[in-house]
Amino acid sequence: MSANRTVLKIAGENGMGLSSVGEMVQKALKKNGFNIRSEREFPSTIKGGKACNIINFSSSKIYGLSKTIDIAIGLDREGVKDCLETLKPGGILIHGFDRWNKSIKNLPQIVESKKLQVFLLPARDIALENGGSVIMVNTVLLGFLWKVLGLDIDSLRQQIKVQFQDKSSIINVNITCAQAGFEYNFPSKTPSLSVSSNKLDSTKQILIDGNTSLALGAIQAGVRAYYAYPMSPSTSILVYLAKVSHQTKMLVKQAEDEITAAQMALGSMHMGTRALVATSGGGFDLMTETVSLSGMIETPLVITIVQRPGPATGLPTWTAQSDLDLAIYSAHGEFCRIVLACSDATSSFENIQHALNLSEKYQIPVILLSEATIGMGYETTPEFTDNTIPIERGIITATEEIDALQPSDRYQITSTGVSKRWLPGKSKSTYFANGDEHWEEGEITEDEQEAGSMIKKRLIKTKTILDNLPEPEIFGDPMEADISFIGWGSSKGPMLDSIEILAAKNIKANYLHFNYILPLKTAKLIEFCKQNQNVSTIEGNFNGQLSNLIESKTNLKFPQRLLKWNGRPFYVEDIVDFVREKVNKT
Amino acid sequence: MSANRTVLKIAGENGMGLSSVGEMVQKALKKNGFNIRSEREFPSTIKGGKACNIINFSSSKIYGLSKTIDIAIGLDREGVKDCLETLKPGGILIHGFDRWNKSIKNLPQIVESKKLQVFLLPARDIALENGGSVIMVNTVLLGFLWKVLGLDIDSLRQQIKVQFQDKSSIINVNITCAQAGFEYNFPSKTPSLSVSSNKLDSTKQILIDGNTSLALGAIQAGVRAYYAYPMSPSTSILVYLAKVSHQTKMLVKQAEDEITAAQMALGSMHMGTRALVATSGGGFDLMTETVSLSGMIETPLVITIVQRPGPATGLPTWTAQSDLDLAIYSAHGEFCRIVLACSDATSSFENIQHALNLSEKYQIPVILLSEATIGMGYETTPEFTDNTIPIERGIITATEEIDALQPSDRYQITSTGVSKRWLPGKSKSTYFANGDEHWEEGEITEDEQEAGSMIKKRLIKTKTILDNLPEPEIFGDPMEADISFIGWGSSKGPMLDSIEILAAKNIKANYLHFNYILPLKTAKLIEFCKQNQNVSTIEGNFNGQLSNLIESKTNLKFPQRLLKWNGRPFYVEDIVDFVREKVNKT
Amino acid sequence: MSQLHKLINKAEEFSAYESDQKHTWCSGCGNFGILNALKRSLVLENIKPQETLLCFDVGCNSNASDKIKAYTIHGLHGRVASLASGAAIANTKQKVIAMAGDGATFSEGINHLVHAVRNDYPITFIVHNNNNYGLTIGQASSTTKHDFAMNGSPDGVIPEPLNTLQFVLSFNPSFVARSFSGDIEHMTKTIQMALNHRGFAYVEIMQACPTFNKATPQEWYWDKIFDIQTIIGYDKTDIWQARKIVDSLDKDLAVGVIYEKSKPNFVEQLKNREGLGSELIDEVKSTSITGLLQEFR
Amino acid sequence: MSQLHKLINKAEEFSAYESDQKHTWCSGCGNFGILNALKRSLVLENIKPQETLLCFDVGCNSNASDKIKAYTIHGLHGRVASLASGAAIANTKQKVIAMAGDGATFSEGINHLVHAVRNDYPITFIVHNNNNYGLTIGQASSTTKHDFAMNGSPDGVIPEPLNTLQFVLSFNPSFVARSFSGDIEHMTKTIQMALNHRGFAYVEIMQACPTFNKATPQEWYWDKIFDIQTIIGYDKTDIWQARKIVDSLDKDLAVGVIYEKSKPNFVEQLKNREGLGSELIDEVKSTSITGLLQEFR
Ligand SMILES: Cc1ncc(C[n+]2csc(CCOP(=O)(O)OP(=O)(O)O)c2C)c(N)n1
Ligand SMILES: Cc1ncc(C[n+]2csc(CCOP(=O)(O)OP(=O)(O)O)c2C)c(N)n1
Ligand code: SF4
Ligand code: SF4
Ligand SMILES: [Mg+2]
Ligand SMILES: [Mg+2]
């Protein structure tokens, strides 16, 4: 199944520095020229409960995640248990937990029935013998892993140097431990997993998560103020932007709550800089009134929602695509907005830039959706480059134009719905940015004609935008597929992988992906559904939120929906299994 | 056009006690046996700007509003101007503003071109001559109105006594002024408008607004705590419930903000009383996170949104049906909810009771929509009676059942999605009402199986509810109409009137009305669309929010939509004009 | 030169602030005086309409949003402190003033007040404290007198009125002043001082509301106010003296600057922007990120 | 009899509160002690699990929501004061206790705190003040020490830490106490007193968070705390004494009941429910409205 990749799991109890082990492995694998797509699973607690890193790596490009674990490292009892349960039949388990057969129930049966290859290293002894401490058990295991994977130990050695650059005293002992693990031989058999690297030029690739990518996009797009209230899984955007704020000189402010963050961002945008906020669904609830204000006074506002499963606190560290309806319909009253959704690191980097441009050009709120699996998952992707998406602000700056401004230009009724915007202070013509219904200068009106046409002016922007927004993108041969999918967000990754995997099984699959969701572009979509007979939707939610939107805006109906709502992302297996049911060929 | 009614407008500057004049007239008209449907128009300011009362009255039952003003009283310059502009051709204007021809531009032309019958009374002189003060000009005008309408002056006299019961010193002089107005004769012609009352038994009728009706429904349904933050047009619910709180002993608490109101209501509901909150769209934005919590912990919660046009502050004192999407889709995460919409005073009284029952039975949040035009408009309606809608709470109270409870019963996975609910303190079996994803006792879980099935358990309630919810109601002959409408909310009133008016023009119209909107019942609707060829939707919003919902849930499409979004309610004229365009017969 | 004299010399500047929109306040409303004082202080400080951003909340007070010809925002109810702060830190050269009612400030938006004060964002914040919710027709606010029947609370409210100044003094403000809507000259002076403060200048105006606040009419205030400068030896940098002076809500209401502290404001304390000189609004441009990519390579 | 002795006699009652769920706090976390003290005080006050409603916010502290076997709610972040108050006034016979972190109490939900205190709703409110946002991994809160690098604010926060007790004392509380997570016995006693208070009992626990609050570790507190009862002549009904005593945040941290006022609570002051005796939860029944219809006839 996971033919085009190797899947490595590193599991242990939450809170024991798992993520730094995971990081080290991924970076070293990347240096070996592998493509990587990984995920982190951990509970919403500071300590306790099982956690893991699942690292998919391959010498060819991979886009999504697989759940067929080929090889696993268990760091402790919790980790070993987890690995035993989740390893594929015949998979390899490496660990150093010597009391395992006493403390894990049904151990022999599990190992036997799944025909697992288990390698219990005396890792503790090895670490201590080599002058290391108990915590270096992990390094010993990694050294052994390197052997099993047939990789050059030097790559691990280099990464250890980088990882511990701030604690140089422990670099050498870690290297010795890794070497000892690498050299450890089991008397009977030596396990081996054939992984081959095509020696991809790793220097042109970066290994990065979606949240950081989004933050970098914001920096590139000239965002000068970031306001947020911490909320998983969006918090790392705040943390990263704060970390690099001495380089970027960006104002990064943790606000006292989400309403404040949104209001400050709106104030900053109104004054004329670029500001950003990010949160998750529950925090966004609190920002919706501000979104409505942005719609009314036509001041740009961009809010990122990194989704997790709700309702209420839900599953704070897990993933979902369940706040699309929220992004589209929340906030009282009717006004125009754009909703886009990231699908991976690169699209996070790019979409935030588009979001800012669209918000300023059309003077509307823009909601950018991401997901825990995108925001917190790592992947290798071609290095981001500067100046690919020019900044478009849609503000009046030229002196002659400024001089010609009338106050009533600000909210003038136009055929596109877009009026002139200029920044406070820039012209003698002042205007009222009025949250009450208003007329062209922004002065309050309750007149039925004026109110009716001003409301309409704001709403017809939707049409203007629709005429200018890109159509969804099709992956695979656009026509006459055995099975077709329509989706959004992180589904794209496993879909792209699945198209390939299915092709190898002689099944022709294709996929239509919405990057821009609202307003909904329908032409290409309708064409796609004409040219393909067996179309399903794929969504990480229970209700099929995009499916419902499409059904309302077109004559299409989707009785066949691949939906998932248990906090986990789509794996290629989910798709391939679904296809197996729906396509007879298999 | 307004064949079945007389439309009287009383207009003046906002803030001059217009609404008490309006109240007096309506009550006196009611005592005369008329049916009434009235509206108030006023700006969102304390003083200044034009305001009016438009009173539709008829000896037969009327449901909606007409904008064809037959007769008008102008109380001052603003009022006279407004009346001149809005009176129908040939209409009657009564006023006492003697400087009118100096201070109103184009006066003769307007009067001439519309052929208005204007009666300028020396009302000030009459008032002063009869021992009254300047403010009693209004009473003089009312006396004269009574003559024009051919009504018994005694009915006005009685109402004056009631109106001023707290200020007995001015009763007599007001009566004298009214009498003097009644007896005033113009030298030339005596105006007269034939209104006939069928002497309806007014004692079986009440004259009431929708907000008060809703409040009465809440009292009847055993609501014991009301929490709110003032917000037009919902505020009168708070004010009324507070006013009668010594009779009802209800706890009526103005909270410090909307989040608090919602949280306190949820806390009170959780503990086991019935609580209620009401607000408008902007306030509801702030409550949505709490709605999501209610969905998660399966604690009932009922929130009323009295709609006004948005976004932001919008038109605070005007009306709209533009927060249906908000009610349906806002609040993060996926969970089950019910949305119902009031259409008039009686349905406000009833729906709040249904809302509370449904919320408790299914342990879900219920959103009840109303509109400014319903909440603040008056109408005569048959007197509400006790005990028509029994209370259904769906809580475990019987001792044997209580004794048998296990903690895990609380969130047990069931086929209906509904589990047992009992109140804190009532059983030794305690439970965790957990906003984090949980298992059956409410204990935190992040397991994919458990999380997936608990999320599903909550969502399959939708199916259970759909099986039990009433279908929409059809008015008029259900089949083969020349034109058909589908709508919700206050549209019902003018629709019912229009069906009659159109019948008189030999046009057969019918109307399908949704009282329960979410989850959407579709069987009768689909049948209706099969049996009628020319189906439109009617909605007080720009996007056609119900139309879109139906389009997503069925194969139906509604290219023909009668939409209105300028803050005004639908008038029968809006519908009749629309029909004229769409049906060739006319 | 007296305030009025100075103003007469600046009649043109003053009239630049005049808007065509009709006022919608009750006669005798204290908001007239406050708006007048606001215009006066702007004119006296030589601030032109073009140089302002006046941020209004929602309430009677904020219906001034189109009654003064300047750059204005009329935001959401309760949120203006944060909206204005976000605007101000994006361009500290534009003069940002926020206006809000007591309902907005101490109920719906009290969180924003606390943290805007703590952060010392560089704005002038003017509370129109009329002891009630005017625009929604006379409900009780946090400052309504105990036991006084109001719309929606016929038995009066249960809590004692909030001592707003004691409250603000408890979270480390840098400028706290009070004035009275009946005294335009004093308000003008006070707002002028606020406009010259570096950080968050909290100015509370005790505002007469003849329509709904019958408990404390105009005369009630005149009887009780006194200028804090008349206290000999009053040290406005001494927080404990300030706390004592504001303790009573019923008699001896001090007006003027009650507390002041000179310190760098929020923007001035941003370590990563030290010495930068430019404003956030000037810095929006396509920015290279290649330097930041190193750690991901 | 010592606290421990009393508890030994009530081992069974104590164990009734034990939940099967595993704790998820770091070792050395102050929340262990607080939860222990909470159970102790409930047991010592003879309150059974069935008689409680424990309301939890969202944060490390509130992950106790299923670690104590009782009626619990685990609500939204920042909102627990209002949720618990709404619950408490519906049934004053059920013992309602609210638990929240400093992030929840002084940032996200500060509005609820202010007004719940002012209204004097009958609940015990326990703040777990660990000077940071634990659950979201160590961001600064309003009580974080100035200039201390935290996750998301590497330069430290700009505002001075909020003096939480000074703050609470500014809006007319009826009960203000403080204790320390290292001192289970003292916490137990303090919570017991809170449980016996009629109105809103504000209890702040200075909570050690060894993982993220490196600025003030366990020992830091031990060095500075002293029992307020050791001050001779301390009058806990004197608000000015209380204000003075809480003024320092860095040395001499008084623990115990710092301020107390005996007065009727919110429910007891509801004029329209005077002498009624029943609880709101007992009154839900179909109610005749015909008497009210008169004015509409
Ligand atoms: C979210 C929200 N809730 C409620 C309202 C309704 N509302 C408008 S003004 C106001 C209170 C006004 O009181 P205050 O702030 O004291 O201003 P004043 O009218 O007294 O000047 C309220 C509750 C609103 N506009 N938005
Ligand atoms: C509306 C909302 N915003 C943000 C969060 C994320 N969040 C969870 S706990 C927490 C802060 C916790 O800090 P504190 O209240 O001090 O509790 P502690 O973890 O320190 O015990 C935050 C911001 C949330 N759950 N909901
Ligand atoms: S209600 Fe009060 S605050 Fe509002 S305009 Fe009238 S007097 Fe002024
Ligand atoms: S992070 Fe701090 S508060 Fe949270 S569990 Fe760990 S020690 Fe306790
Ligand atoms: Mg006010
Ligand atoms: Mg904390």
Side-chain angles (χ1 to χ4, degrees), chain C residues 193-258:
Chain C
M193 283 185 278
L195 290 173
N196 285 308
H197 179 69
R198 296 162 93 162
F200 191 97
Y202 175 89
V203 179
E204 181 169 328
I205 313 283
M206 300 180 287
Q207 180 218 316
C209 169
T211 305
F212 295 121
N213 180 5
K214 311 284 189 198
T216 60
Q218 183 97 354
E219 314 76 57
W220 187 93
Y221 295 101
W222 277 125
D223 277 358
K224 295 179 179 57
I225 59 172
F226 72 97
D227 195 324
I228 197 148
Q229 295 187 315
T230 60
I231 306 179
I232 298 159
Y234 184 78
D235 176 3
K236 65 182 176 191
T237 68
D238 178 349
I239 189 101
W240 287 103
Q241 252 187 306
R243 284 179 176 150
K244 286 280 185 189
I245 209 80
V246 302
D247 201 42
S248 157
L249 291 177
D250 290 316
K251 48 179 200 285
D252 298 342
L253 303 171
V255 297
V257 179
I258 287 167

Side-chain angles (χ1 to χ4, degrees), chain C residues 61 101-103 128-134:
Chain C
N61 64 86
D102 48 323
H128 302 228
N129 184 359
N130 61 359
N131 294 355
N132 83 95
Y133 290 16

Side-chain angles (χ1 to χ4, degrees), chain D residues 251-271:
Chain D
K251 48 177 200 288
D252 298 342
L253 303 171
V255 296
V257 179
I258 286 167
Y259 180 73
E260 196 173 358
K261 174 151 88 177
S262 177
K263 63 180 255 294
N265 67 28
F266 176 82
V267 175
E268 292 161 348
Q269 284 191 69
L270 289 166
K271 290 196 184 135

Side-chain angles (χ1 to χ4, degrees), chain A residues 42-45 50 67 231 259 281-283 285-286 288-290 292-293 295-296 308-318 322-323 325-326 329-335 434-437 445-449 451-453 455-456 458-460 540-545 548-557 561 564-568, chain B residues 42-45 50 67 231 259 281-283 285-286 288-290 292-293 295-296 308-318 322-323 325-326 329-335 435-437 444-449 451-453 455-456 458-460 540-545 548-557 561 564-568:
Chain A
F42 59 100
S44 172
T45 55
K50 62 185 185 189
K67 62 178 174 192
M231 185 161 195
I259 303 179
D285 286 349
L286 298 165
T288 53
E289 200 193 1
T290 306
S292 180
L293 177 61
M296 185 57 138
R308 68 193 214 190
T313 308
L315 294 164
T317 55
W318 299 85
S322 54
D323 286 333
D325 278 346
L326 179 76
Y329 299 107
S330 62
H332 72 288
E334 294 177 295
F335 53 92
N434 206 332
D436 281 51
E437 198 50 83
T445 185
E446 304 202 342
D447 176 81
E448 66 178 305
Q449 300 306 334
S453 35
I455 291 171
K456 185 170 171 184
R458 290 189 299 265
L459 282 159
I460 55 168
N541 59 56
F542 185 91
N543 287 326
Q545 302 182 5
N548 296 343
L549 176 70
I550 297 176
E551 290 186 349
S552 126
K553 298 284 173 205
T554 65
N555 287 315
L556 303 168
K557 292 289 156 187
R561 300 173 178 195
K564 192 170 182 181
W565 59 85
N566 61 2
R568 276 62 182 173
Chain B
F42 59 100
S44 175
T45 55
K50 63 185 184 189
K67 62 178 170 189
M231 186 162 195
I259 302 179
D285 285 350
L286 297 164
T288 52
E289 199 193 2
T290 305
S292 180
L293 177 61
M296 184 59 138
R308 69 191 215 192
T313 308
L315 295 164
T317 57
W318 300 85
S322 54
D323 285 333
D325 279 346
L326 179 75
Y329 298 107
S330 61
H332 72 288
E334 294 178 295
F335 54 91
D436 281 51
E437 198 49 82
I444 290 188
T445 184
E446 305 202 341
D447 177 82
E448 65 179 305
Q449 300 306 335
S453 34
I455 291 170
K456 183 168 173 187
R458 290 190 300 264
L459 283 159
I460 54 167
N541 60 55
F542 185 91
N543 287 327
Q545 302 182 2
N548 296 344
L549 177 71
I550 297 175
E551 289 185 350
S552 126
K553 297 287 173 203
T554 65
N555 287 314
L556 303 167
K557 291 289 156 187
R561 301 174 178 195
K564 192 170 181 180
W565 59 85
N566 61 2
R568 276 63 181 173

Side-chain angles (χ1 to χ4, degrees), chain A residues 289, chain B residues 46 229-232 235 258 279 282-284 286 308 313 316, chain C residues 25 31 57-62 76-79 100-105 108 128-136 139 141 207 209:
Chain A
E289 200 193 1
Chain B
I46 298 300
Y229 189 75
M231 186 162 195
S232 306
T235 314
E258 286 86 353
T279 182
F284 184 75
L286 297 164
R308 69 191 215 192
T313 308
Chain C
W25 292 313
N31 284 318
D57 206 272
V58 174
C60 283
N61 64 86
S62 293
L76 297 175
H77 178 55
R79 314 297 170 198
D102 48 323
T105 306
E108 184 79 84
H128 302 228
N129 184 359
N130 61 359
N131 294 355
N132 83 95
Y133 290 16
L135 191 57
T136 45
Q139 290 81 22
S141 76
Q207 180 218 316
C209 169

